[in-house]
Amino acid sequence: MVDLQQKIVLSVEQVKKKIGRKWIIQGVTFDVRAGEIFGFLGPNGAGKTTTIRMLVDLIKPTEGVIKVCGYDVNRQQEQALQYVGSIVENPEMYTYLTGWENLEHFARMQHNIDDDRIREVVEIVRMDKRIHDKVRTYSLGMRQRLGIAQALLGRPKLLILDEPTNGLDPKGIKEMREFIKRLAAEGMAVFVSSHLLSEIQLLCDRVAIISRGKVLAVGGVEELIAESAGYVVWHLHPANQGRSILQQVQQCEVVERPEAVLDDSVLAGMPEESIVTRIREEDTPDAVKRLVAAGVEILGVNRINPTLEQLFLQMTEGESIE
């Protein structure tokens, strides 16, 4: 877990973006620290891509401040962006050139990048055995790694990755996850946008959840999950009477469509007349007392700790991820 006292590399403060008469981004605020993997999650049209484009100065914010290593991206572009490496959408490479020739080409666009640095980034992404092959012979995972090698050429302090595991098979996703963790362990701040919620949960120290241009929550993955109300599956007899009592318990919400909030693996093991509620752990004993007092048999009570995906669906009211 990242040390909260570590240096802030990326600071985003009250950033807004207006296109025409519509506010696309509405006061987004978060920061990313050295040695941290920070996840950025948002449903369709949330403003995720617009925010990323502002981070790398492809578009300007209407209001607010974005700073990298203390430099304002909008007013001090050259100083700020020298510390940023990024892959926004798919890495663009010359497929008729070798991986090495591509890196040479991009190195010429920057200051003080020699062959030693190219060899160094090739070793970092573990492509030394294929770096002299034509890019057209590379798998998608290898192209992603070559793109990251390109982003690392300038020794950035912040690496921005937009959907780094997109299109990869399970082996490629695992390799990418391990690689990103290694970069963070060496002190780099890594900002990851992804639609794979389970991967974000495995990968990231902290996350920001954005919906309709607003950040709904920022915090540690486990911390956010722990703060949210979990789900409890009740097996009661008679079920109808039990449901009626649970509906009267304060801080207890009976879930009418369990399939919308629970994993298939949980649903498959549930008895047919099970009742699913959303309730905090500290409020569960009161619900049990009320059921017992009413003479309802409690045949089973099972607490389901929410996943990041369930938390995301709660916060965004079921919107689909990008």
Side-chain angles (χ1 to χ4, degrees):
M1 182 62 67
V2 68
D3 182 353
L4 296 183
Q5 301 304 314
Q6 284 184 274
K7 180 181 178 182
I8 293 175
V9 176
L10 170 65
S11 171
V12 179
E13 186 174 348
Q14 286 300 311
V15 167
K16 300 180 181 180
K17 180 64 180 177
K18 190 176 187 180
I19 298 178
R21 296 184 178 181
K22 186 176 181 181
W23 288 98
I24 305 299
I25 302 297
Q26 305 178 55
V28 166
T29 297
F30 61 83
D31 56 55
V32 183
R33 305 178 180 104
E36 173 177 39
I37 304 172
F38 187 91
F40 197 51
L41 301 174
N44 250 342
K48 192 170 59 168
T49 300
T50 301
T51 302
I52 292 172
R53 289 181 175 277
M54 288 190 287
L55 298 184
V56 295
D57 199 40
L58 290 176
I59 58 175
K60 304 289 186 186
T62 306
E63 296 179 20
V65 178
I66 300 169
K67 290 184 178 181
V68 177
C69 296
Y71 293 102
D72 190 317
V73 170
N74 197 16
R75 298 179 180 180
Q76 301 165 294
Q77 295 97 329
E78 189 172 342
Q79 295 98 317
L81 295 181
Q82 69 177 322
Y83 294 111
V84 180
S86 65
I87 300 179
V88 180
E89 297 173 351
N90 294 322
E92 296 295 333
M93 297 291 165
Y94 298 101
T95 58
Y96 60 88
L97 298 177
T98 67
W100 181 275
E101 288 167 341
N102 269 276
L103 293 178
E104 281 185 322
H105 171 74
F106 291 112
R108 285 192 287 270
M109 300 179 187
Q110 303 183 50
H111 301 296
N112 304 318
I113 306 296
D114 55 17
D115 284 0
D116 287 341
R117 178 56 182 169
I118 295 176
R119 273 190 287 272
E120 191 176 347
V121 297
V122 168
E123 288 177 10
I124 289 172
V125 300
R126 297 179 178 174
M127 284 196 63
D128 41 305
K129 292 181 180 178
R130 295 290 307 277
I131 197 62
H132 294 291
D133 294 346
K134 301 285 188 186
V135 170
R136 65 170 171 260
T137 68
Y138 288 1
S139 66
L140 179 58
M142 291 177 66
R143 293 189 191 203
Q144 290 280 58
R145 280 193 279 165
L146 184 62
I148 292 176
Q150 173 202 329
L152 294 176
L153 281 171
R155 300 178 176 84
K157 294 185 182 298
L158 170 67
L159 181 62
I160 297 174
L161 301 176
D162 187 10
E163 302 284 359
T165 59
N166 195 24
L168 299 184
D169 60 20
K171 183 174 181 290
I173 290 174
K174 183 180 179 184
E175 288 175 352
M176 185 64 68
R177 185 199 312 148
E178 292 172 350
F179 170 66
I180 292 171
K181 285 184 174 181
R182 195 166 73 247
L183 291 176
E186 293 169 1
M188 187 175 292
V190 185
F191 178 97
V192 180
S193 158
S194 179
H195 70 285
L196 296 175
L197 293 168
S198 58
E199 271 304 306
I200 288 289
Q201 189 163 355
L202 288 171
L203 179 64
C204 295
D205 299 299
R206 292 191 304 135
V207 297
I209 296 176
I210 182 173
S211 179
R212 299 184 180 96
K214 297 179 181 179
V215 168
L216 304 181
V218 179
V221 175
E222 299 308 321
E223 168 195 339
L224 289 176
I225 289 172
E227 288 176 354
S228 70
Y231 295 100
V232 172
V233 179
W234 305 82
H235 187 198
L236 307 174
H237 181 77
N240 287 339
Q241 185 185 356
R243 173 185 288 270
S244 177
I245 291 168
L246 289 172
Q247 287 172 332
Q248 297 169 28
V249 177
Q250 286 190 340
Q251 309 300 327
C252 178
E253 173 193 351
V254 175
V255 177
E256 300 300 335
R257 294 180 60 246
E259 67 275 9
V261 297
L262 296 182
D263 296 335
D264 289 343
S265 58
V266 175
L267 293 168
M270 281 172 43
E272 189 175 340
E273 290 193 326
S274 292
I275 302 160
V276 177
T277 61
R278 186 166 172 244
I279 185 171
R280 295 180 304 177
E281 189 169 4
E282 57 266 35
D283 294 322
T284 306
D286 179 48
V288 170
K289 286 178 185 176
R290 287 172 178 250
L291 291 166
V292 171
V296 175
E297 290 184 68
I298 302 176
L299 305 178
V301 181
N302 185 22
R303 172 163 287 275
I304 309 296
N305 291 323
T307 63
L308 182 60
E309 182 170 4
Q310 289 160 352
L311 174 63
F312 177 87
L313 291 171
Q314 287 174 22
M315 286 187 170
T316 61
E317 299 176 350
E319 289 183 76
S320 59
I321 194 81
E322 282 184 19

